[in-house]
Amino acid sequence: MRREGSPFTGVGPVFTKELADHLSSIRMMVLTLFVIVFGAFPVASSLQQLRTVVSADAYLFLRIFTLEPERVQITFVTALNFIIPLMAIGLGFDSVNSEFNRRTLSRVLSQPIYRDALLLGKFLGGLATLAVGLMALWLIVFGAGLLLLGVPPGGVEVARAAGFLVVAIAYGGVWLAVSMLFSVIFRSTATSALCALGLWLFFFILWPMVASSIAMSMAPVQFTSADELLGFEQFGQALMRVSPGTLFSEAVAALLNPETRVFGDFSNLFLARSRGTIPNAPLPFDQSLLLIWPQVTGLVAAMIVLFAAAYVIFQREEVRA
Amino acid sequence: MSDNVIEARGLLKLYGTARAVNEIDLDIRRAEIFGLLGPNGAGKTTTILMMLGLTEISGGTVNVLGFDPVRQPLEVKRRVGYLPDSVGFYDHLTARENMRYTARLLDIPRRDAEKRIEDALASVQLADVGDKRVSTYSRGMRQRLGIAEIVMKGAEVAILDEPTSGLDPHATNELLEMIRGLKKAGVAVMLSSHLLDRVQSVCDRVALFNKGKIALMGTVVELANQVLGAGHPLLVEAQGTDIEGVIRGIEGVQQVVAGGDGAWRVTADRDVRAAVAHRIVTAGGSLTRLADLQPSLEEVYTRYFQKEIRHAA
């Protein structure tokens, strides 16, 4: 039996309400503060260091994002890799179950909209909020760079930085979908927040260790050829790429360090095999894009799969308390 | 189209193998107030949710205003107002902002919406507090805001789930008055409730739910006749003689039950009030009260479920 009417009826009102709620909420202010504190520190330090650079660098502006300052030991990108999930989880962990607990869900769903519209509107509202926050942060960093470095960024640099912003939003979208999935599964907002944060910590702290120990256990006693070593290395990388954080950092590395050609610890080995390349020569922008295409696709695919899972569970859920 | 706004035939809801709603037939007519009664878990809310297309139907058909809630839920929900059990609003928004959100979901044009929100809030006497946050509202005010939403929607059918639960008597009366107002405006109202005497005062017809089935359906008087048996119940208060013996001697009296404190409940197959008064007085007793008892829904309800338990035992 087919149902009639567009599943998108009402997405607009839900989206605008969610966006307005997020932007005016205290939670958003706290998250923004968090991001600024975490982001400003590495940026300020790297700016300080970059001002003393005298050598010519075609991509000086992009170094703001990727330079690891001597004193702080954390790049802006690494900070974001850590902070974006927190922001996304903060925005999404109670999106559906709070409606349930406030008993607004059945009243809203008795209006002429499908559940599809409610979930999609909420997701897009959260994503837009995230995008607004990241865009603001990005502009602040850009502005600070302009003021303190006194060097205008080149066109390619702006394009690369914009690409970085898009990847960051996609990365946030993955974690937003994760937290919304938990908010659909668990009735208690505390449980859903805990699960989302637990998964985040798992991927950040535990997964690198787990992945390397899995890879180690599969390794032969002795490598007999470079191919074998490469295959082993690729397997380890594939495991690491299960974590969205890895995909994000690889994609960002290729965008912001135009010299990046391959990822991983054994990049020299890869490079040795690709003949005719000039080491440390920057790649053109479109080549960098080609390089990170799988990573970006992976992020978007993860976002869609997680959202679809949340959607299926939400459709089957009973409305009554 | 017929006069029925809701028609359910063989409506069935399964949870696993349990039959939450077991093949019920139900008709709600235009501009009537219909009460769904029954103990918790009897299937009232499930029935309501199926009519709104908010939960899947396992079998049978429902027709709401000519639409099928399974295939055309948007059309149904556009025309039916629903006040859920202990309704919730967005606490951080004002009543007007909550209503505006609903108006946007209903796709009411903005200029039109403001007027309709004002009128609806005025009709439930919330216009002066409409700019206060809903978090400051009492339970009764929230219920009234829920009614205002239905009014704004211009619904043809209003479905109210336990609208009076948890309200104080004054707030209950106010709410029932508003429900009567809906009926006057031509809205068919279906409500479920535990407060039987209140329901009795507003409902045109009621259905008694039991274990997923409709045990009884009809007007309160019809139900009373079915459950309590046809007859004229009387309350007699008198003293001074063997009142019970005297009453038992009257032709047509079927049953005399002592109610304590010189009061008796009498059931007869005809109106025996005059005879009762005459006999007591001539027997030398003093008659202090003689009242015709209206069948009460509460009595019907209690008696019916007592019978059920006895049958089951």
Side-chain angles (χ1 to χ4, degrees), chain A residues 1-6 9-10 13-14 16-18 21 24 99 102-104 106-115 118 122 315-320, chain B residues 13 15 45-46 49 52 54-56 68 70-74 77-78 80 82 84-93 98 101-102 104-106 149 153:
Chain A
M1 263 198 290
R2 281 186 63 82
R3 54 179 202 184
E4 291 177 6
S6 161
T9 319
V14 176
T16 43
K17 174 178 180 295
E18 286 299 312
D21 277 2
S24 60
E99 295 266 351
R102 282 181 296 194
R103 296 174 170 279
T104 45
S106 50
R107 191 176 57 83
V108 169
L109 287 181
S110 74
Q111 308 307 331
I113 61 165
Y114 281 117
R115 296 182 190 199
L118 190 72
K122 277 179 174 292
Q315 289 289 340
R316 284 153 194 269
E317 203 153 287
E318 288 292 331
V319 192
R320 64 188 306 175
Chain B
K13 177 71 184 181
Y15 286 115
T45 303
T46 309
L49 291 179
L52 285 161
L54 288 181
T55 192
E56 275 175 48
D68 176 1
V70 178
R71 290 186 52 240
Q72 303 157 302
L74 296 190
K77 292 194 276 188
R78 202 163 280 142
V80 178
Y82 175 45
D85 184 8
S86 59
V87 62
F89 290 89
Y90 297 106
D91 279 347
H92 61 286
L93 301 179
N98 268 292
Y101 180 45
T102 312
R104 281 208 303 275
L105 288 175
L106 283 163
E149 203 176 73
K153 199 169 182 175

Side-chain angles (χ1 to χ4, degrees), chain A residues 151-175:
Chain A
V151 184
V156 177
E157 280 180 298
V158 175
R160 281 176 178 274
F164 156 69
L165 184 62
V166 171
V167 172
I169 293 169
Y171 178 52
V174 173
W175 285 101

Side-chain angles (χ1 to χ4, degrees), chain B residues 229-307:
Chain B
H232 292 257
L234 283 181
L235 180 73
V236 179
E237 281 179 30
Q239 59 239 333
T241 178
D242 173 21
I243 305 293
E244 192 169 335
V246 168
I247 301 174
R248 279 194 192 284
I250 298 168
E251 197 184 343
V253 169
Q254 296 162 319
Q255 200 186 11
V256 181
V257 182
D261 272 350
W264 284 269
R265 297 176 68 96
V266 179
T267 319
D269 60 1
R270 64 195 82 158
D271 190 355
V272 291
R273 278 178 296 177
V276 168
H278 179 73
R279 288 288 186 87
I280 288 175
V281 173
T282 47
S286 55
L287 181 66
T288 49
R289 189 166 173 213
L290 180 61
D292 203 4
L293 287 179
Q294 286 296 320
S296 97
L297 201 49
E298 186 136 12
E299 207 172 338
V300 173
Y301 186 90
T302 323
R303 194 76 74 79
Y304 179 79
F305 284 106
Q306 270 172 4
K307 269 190 203 163

Side-chain angles (χ1 to χ4, degrees), chain B residues 16-310:
Chain B
T17 53
R19 291 175 168 238
V21 174
N22 193 355
E23 297 181 3
I24 60 165
D25 297 332
L26 194 64
D27 289 329
I28 315 279
R29 295 171 197 151
R30 203 165 279 282
E32 78 168 344
I33 301 181
F34 190 91
L36 298 180
L37 310 174
N40 291 330
K44 292 168 300 187
T45 303
T46 309
T47 306
I48 288 172
L49 291 179
M50 283 196 283
M51 287 172 176
L52 285 161
L54 288 181
T55 192
E56 275 175 48
I57 294 173
S58 310
T61 58
V62 197
N63 184 316
V64 180
L65 296 162
F67 295 100
D68 176 1
V70 178
R71 290 186 52 240
Q72 303 157 302
L74 296 190
E75 297 300 325
V76 170
K77 292 194 276 188
R78 202 163 280 142
R79 292 167 177 81
V80 178
Y82 175 45
L83 179 67
D85 184 8
S86 59
V87 62
F89 290 89
Y90 297 106
D91 279 347
H92 61 286
L93 301 179
T94 68
R96 277 201 178 82
E97 284 165 347
N98 268 292
M99 298 273 280
R100 268 183 215 129
Y101 180 45
T102 312
R104 281 208 303 275
L105 288 175
L106 283 163
D107 209 12
I108 300 173
R110 187 164 297 211
R111 207 176 306 152
D112 208 13
E114 285 305 313
K115 168 124 183 43
R116 277 163 78 166
I117 290 171
E118 275 323 301
D119 293 348
L121 284 176
S123 76
V124 296
Q125 287 135 41
L126 286 176
D128 48 338
V129 288
D131 285 324
K132 279 197 181 158
R133 288 186 176 204
V134 178
S135 54
T136 63
Y137 276 28
S138 69
R139 199 183 164 97
M141 288 161 89
R142 281 163 204 255
Q143 298 284 2
R144 268 149 61 191
L145 188 56
I147 301 268
E149 203 176 73
I150 294 172
V151 172
M152 177 193 72
K153 199 169 182 175
E156 294 170 56
V157 180
I159 299 182
L160 318 174
D161 198 356
E162 302 282 352
T164 54
S165 77
L167 297 187
D168 63 59
H170 179 66
T172 304
N173 279 337
E174 277 183 344
L175 197 77
L176 290 177
E177 208 40 61
M178 283 159 199
I179 293 173
R180 283 199 193 93
L182 284 176
K183 182 194 170 181
K184 267 183 213 137
V187 180
V189 181
M190 184 165 104
L191 62 92
S192 74
S193 182
H194 291 293
L195 296 175
L196 299 172
D197 52 335
R198 302 291 181 185
V199 171
Q200 182 171 15
S201 66
V202 291
C203 284
D204 300 314
R205 289 193 307 143
V206 297
L208 200 58
F209 271 69
N210 185 32
K211 293 179 192 138
K213 280 187 174 279
I214 294 182
L216 297 165
M217 179 154 65
T219 63
V220 176
V221 175
E222 282 168 15
L223 293 198
N225 286 343
Q226 274 183 48
V227 175
L228 306 174
H232 292 257
L234 283 181
L235 180 73
V236 179
E237 281 179 30
Q239 59 239 333
T241 178
D242 173 21
I243 305 293
E244 192 169 335
V246 168
I247 301 174
R248 279 194 192 284
I250 298 168
E251 197 184 343
V253 169
Q254 296 162 319
Q255 200 186 11
V256 181
V257 182
D261 272 350
W264 284 269
R265 297 176 68 96
V266 179
T267 319
D269 60 1
R270 64 195 82 158
D271 190 355
V272 291
R273 278 178 296 177
V276 168
H278 179 73
R279 288 288 186 87
I280 288 175
V281 173
T282 47
S286 55
L287 181 66
T288 49
R289 189 166 173 213
L290 180 61
D292 203 4
L293 287 179
Q294 286 296 320
S296 97
L297 201 49
E298 186 136 12
E299 207 172 338
V300 173
Y301 186 90
T302 323
R303 194 76 74 79
Y304 179 79
F305 284 106
Q306 270 172 4
K307 269 190 203 163
E308 279 292 304
I309 290 162
R310 229 177 291 138

Side-chain angles (χ1 to χ4, degrees), chain A residues 127-261:
Chain A
L127 199 61
T129 314
L130 208 59
V132 167
L134 289 174
M135 175 94 84
L137 187 67
W138 186 82
L139 286 174
I140 290 172
V141 172
F142 237 75
L146 278 176
L147 282 176
L148 295 177
L149 287 183
V151 184
V156 177
E157 280 180 298
V158 175
R160 281 176 178 274
F164 156 69
L165 184 62
V166 171
V167 172
I169 293 169
Y171 178 52
V174 173
W175 285 101
L176 187 67
V178 166
S179 61
M180 278 187 72
L181 175 64
F182 283 125
S183 89
V184 170
I185 295 175
F186 298 109
R187 288 283 157 85
S188 146
T189 52
T191 313
S192 105
L194 211 59
C195 284
L197 289 174
L199 196 67
W200 171 57
L201 286 178
F202 172 77
F203 274 131
F204 261 84
I205 297 169
L206 224 51
W207 185 245
M209 293 186 247
V210 173
S212 73
S213 63
I214 293 175
M216 281 304 186
S217 69
M218 311 277 281
V221 183
Q222 201 169 13
F223 291 107
T224 51
S225 70
D227 278 334
E228 207 176 335
L229 183 61
L230 268 183
F232 168 69
E233 167 66 13
Q234 274 170 336
F235 174 67
Q237 258 188 355
L239 278 180
M240 278 304 290
R241 283 179 183 149
V242 171
S243 161
T246 310
L247 295 180
F248 172 72
S249 55
E250 287 184 355
V252 167
L255 276 173
L256 298 179
N257 289 322
E259 297 84 10
T260 311
R261 284 155 195 281

Side-chain angles (χ1 to χ4, degrees), chain A residues 5-171:
Chain A
S6 161
F8 299 112
T9 319
V11 171
V14 176
F15 169 76
T16 43
K17 174 178 180 295
E18 286 299 312
L19 190 60
D21 277 2
H22 280 317
L23 291 182
S24 60
S25 69
I26 294 174
R27 187 190 302 175
M28 183 66 190
M29 276 157 66
V30 172
L31 287 173
T32 314
L33 196 72
F34 216 71
V35 169
I36 287 175
V37 169
F38 264 75
F41 207 49
V43 167
S45 320
S46 57
L47 277 174
Q48 241 172 8
Q49 202 169 322
L50 282 175
R51 291 178 78 176
T52 62
V53 168
V54 284
S55 62
D57 188 340
Y59 296 100
L60 184 66
F61 210 84
L62 292 181
R63 306 290 177 229
I64 306 172
F65 296 96
T66 56
L67 187 81
E68 191 174 303
E70 277 159 18
R71 277 176 305 159
V72 188
Q73 303 285 316
I74 182 172
T75 68
F76 178 62
V77 167
T78 317
L80 278 191
N81 196 346
F82 195 67
I83 288 304
I84 289 175
L86 195 65
M87 233 178 127
I89 291 170
L91 288 174
F93 77 93
D94 65 347
S95 60
V96 174
N97 48 16
S98 74
E99 295 266 351
F100 211 95
N101 296 334
R102 282 181 296 194
R103 296 174 170 279
T104 45
L105 189 63
S106 50
R107 191 176 57 83
V108 169
L109 287 181
S110 74
Q111 308 307 331
I113 61 165
Y114 281 117
R115 296 182 190 199
D116 317 31
L118 190 72
L119 202 65
L120 188 62
K122 277 179 174 292
F123 182 73
L124 292 180
L127 199 61
T129 314
L130 208 59
V132 167
L134 289 174
M135 175 94 84
L137 187 67
W138 186 82
L139 286 174
I140 290 172
V141 172
F142 237 75
L146 278 176
L147 282 176
L148 295 177
L149 287 183
V151 184
V156 177
E157 280 180 298
V158 175
R160 281 176 178 274
F164 156 69
L165 184 62
V166 171
V167 172
I169 293 169
Y171 178 52

